[in-house]
Amino acid sequence: MSEQETVDRINAMLAEMPPLAAAALVQQWHKDAARMGAQALEPPPLMRAPEFPWGLHGLNATVARYECRQPGCSTVYLEQADELPGPLTLPANFTADDVSAAITAQADERSQLRLDRVQQAFTEHYRTEHPEALEEIHGTPSPAAR
Ligand SMILES: [Zn+2]
């Protein structure tokens, strides 16, 4: 099956579904895209790559768990990966490809914002708990390390 055939079938399927069900399905695609985005992004050196301790399906499936990278440190940060997506930016006469691209772009953007928040949280944690490591990673002396 070609990509276009797939898109056509998805469009046909969505058109036949009750609007609420179609919206729920599209929202599920958002979630999937957000998860893939979270997994694809290179984690900063402060924390390990995210795990999804509640699995990838069902309730709580979108909570990502980030662990401090320092040996012996058990600090964990949980981040809700599933904010409600905002409106999509679509051209007039958009196609399913445009929708797919817009969902992916939006998910990428939210993944980056999420990673920024996690990074911020871990930077705070490092300032108090691992100032030497922070200095090593960023190459700048931290005030707490002096
Ligand atoms: Zn730590």
Side-chain angles (χ1 to χ4, degrees):
M1 192 158 56
S2 80
E3 198 174 331
Q4 187 54 51
E5 282 169 335
T6 307
V7 168
D8 289 346
R9 283 186 59 167
I10 292 171
N11 276 341
M13 180 184 73
L14 287 175
E16 283 177 19
M17 290 171 74
L20 278 180
L25 186 60
V26 169
Q27 196 170 10
Q28 183 61 46
W29 291 341
H30 277 279
K31 290 183 193 177
D32 293 345
R35 269 198 295 274
M36 284 192 293
Q39 284 171 315
L41 284 173
E42 186 73 21
L46 302 182
M47 64 275 195
R48 297 179 197 285
E51 291 169 24
F52 295 88
W54 290 281
L56 293 175
H57 301 284
L59 289 176
N60 294 328
T62 55
V63 175
R65 180 181 187 276
Y66 293 83
E67 234 175 80
C68 180
R69 211 182 256 283
Q70 294 303 307
C73 181
S74 57
T75 292
V76 160
Y77 181 83
L78 297 178
E79 174 73 18
Q80 178 59 257
D82 183 33
E83 311 96 44
L84 280 177
L88 295 171
T89 307
L90 291 168
N93 303 319
F94 61 86
T95 66
D97 282 344
D98 294 324
V99 175
S100 173
I103 288 174
T104 302
Q106 194 192 56
D108 285 351
E109 191 182 322
R110 285 184 302 144
S111 294
Q112 189 58 57
L113 290 173
R114 187 162 56 241
L115 198 59
D116 288 349
R117 282 199 300 275
V118 178
Q119 165 105 1
Q120 180 67 37
F122 271 97
T123 301
E124 289 302 313
H125 164 68
Y126 270 61
R127 281 208 181 101
T128 55
E129 300 296 328
H130 319 292
E132 320 77 26
L134 192 63
E135 183 175 347
E136 209 169 281
I137 290 166
H138 289 301
T140 52
S142 92
R146 297 184 187 196

